[in-house]
Amino acid sequence: EDKVVQSPLSLVVHEGDTVTLNCSYEVTNFRSLLWYKQEKKAPTFLFMLTSSGIEKKSGRLSSILDKKELFSILNITATQTGDSAVYLCAVEASGGYQKVTFGTGTKLQVIP
Amino acid sequence: DARVTQTPRHKVTEMGQEVTMRCQPILGHNTVFWYRQTMMQGLELLAYFRNRAPLDDSGMPKDRFSAEMPDATLATLKIQPSEPRDSAVYFCASGLDRGKYFGPGTRLTVT
């Protein structure tokens, strides 16, 4: 059974701190890993990663994938209160079907 | 700014009633996913379509749930009969070969 584990489950930091969120996975026929940000509504797409070692970057957020060790990290630098959200990691599998498995998320709270 | 739309946004119904949720994917997207989110289970994939064809609905309780895509602009998820354990937020997502863009969700409460 495909599995996605995120850590930590929750995190409280001060504005300006840098945070690293972790996502490890076990999946048959890996296709891609996706990161989403969810505030009090629908998940918002952040990144899609398919290749190891290539960093994806968007402003203060960046992410990288390690397909050998089966994990990804999401970094947020110079955190702001608007970064407070649940960050979800999802893994897509392929091979005649397309299965998507989500982790339970990391709840990030950024305090002033 | 193209978005996935879902209706209704909120639905309260009594146990045993039929519930139909609708999704309009972003124009041009060929993949539509249905997800359910609860506090206990998180986000679960229920079904997905590619080019309107159902490819996987293994996550869906078949006895009461059904998903269809009658045309490229409409996907439906139906629950009949509904049960209190179906209370959740149901999301539709669309994309090009992936369901990257989520709709706002339908919050379903079954009493």
Side-chain angles (χ1 to χ4, degrees):
Chain A
E1 185 180 326
D2 297 344
K3 189 187 298 184
V4 177
V5 178
Q6 292 187 246
S7 64
L9 291 181
S10 65
L11 192 55
V12 180
V13 301
H14 287 95
E15 268 192 316
D17 288 350
T18 293
V19 297
T20 298
L21 310 182
N22 303 291
C23 175
S24 64
Y25 62 90
E26 295 175 24
V27 64
T28 304
N29 297 321
F30 175 88
R31 187 183 187 204
S32 65
L33 184 145
L34 300 97
W35 284 98
Y36 293 87
K37 176 183 181 182
Q38 187 173 26
E39 297 168 90
K40 293 188 186 298
K41 45 191 177 182
T44 303
F45 171 76
L46 295 175
F47 297 113
M48 183 176 73
L49 303 156
T50 56
S51 301
S52 274
I54 298 174
E55 185 183 54
K56 291 283 184 88
K57 198 170 171 66
S58 176
R60 296 177 294 102
L61 278 67
S62 64
S63 183
I64 197 161
L65 174 67
D66 186 329
K67 289 168 72 173
K68 182 180 176 186
E69 300 298 329
L70 307 182
F71 78 91
S72 173
I73 60 172
L74 175 68
N75 278 321
I76 308 175
T77 59
T79 52
Q80 302 171 357
T81 55
D83 295 326
S84 297
V86 174
Y87 290 84
L88 295 164
C89 171
V91 173
E92 289 185 313
S94 62
Y97 67 98
Q98 188 170 347
K99 183 75 176 171
V100 182
T101 304
F102 275 83
T104 52
T106 292
K107 184 175 182 180
L108 173 66
Q109 184 180 357
V110 182
I111 55 178
Chain B
D1 191 22
R3 297 185 183 193
V4 177
T5 59
Q6 289 185 247
T7 56
R9 296 291 306 276
H10 301 273
K11 176 74 175 179
V12 180
T13 191
E14 292 184 348
M15 183 173 66
Q17 296 298 304
E18 178 178 300
V19 175
T20 298
M21 291 169 272
R22 294 176 175 80
C23 166
Q24 182 173 7
I26 294 172
L27 190 64
H29 283 183
N30 67 342
T31 306
V32 173
F33 287 70
W34 282 105
Y35 292 97
R36 174 172 62 185
Q37 187 172 39
T38 61
M39 288 293 291
M40 293 299 293
Q41 300 295 329
L43 264 167
E44 302 172 282
L45 176 66
L46 296 175
Y48 83 93
F49 296 79
R50 179 175 290 157
N51 298 321
R52 294 178 53 204
L55 291 190
D56 183 33
D57 60 3
S58 58
M60 207 163 65
K62 303 277 194 320
D63 55 337
R64 299 183 300 108
F65 285 61
S66 62
E68 295 180 347
M69 200 161 177
D71 63 60
T73 64
L74 177 65
T76 62
L77 180 67
K78 188 176 295 185
I79 308 174
Q80 167 63 20
S82 57
E83 298 180 1
R85 60 179 166 153
D86 301 329
S87 297
V89 180
Y90 290 81
F91 289 109
C92 169
S94 76
L96 289 171
D97 294 326
R98 287 179 169 90
K100 284 163 49 176
Y101 302 99
F102 278 68
T106 294
R107 183 175 294 276
L108 174 65
T109 303
V110 183
T111 60

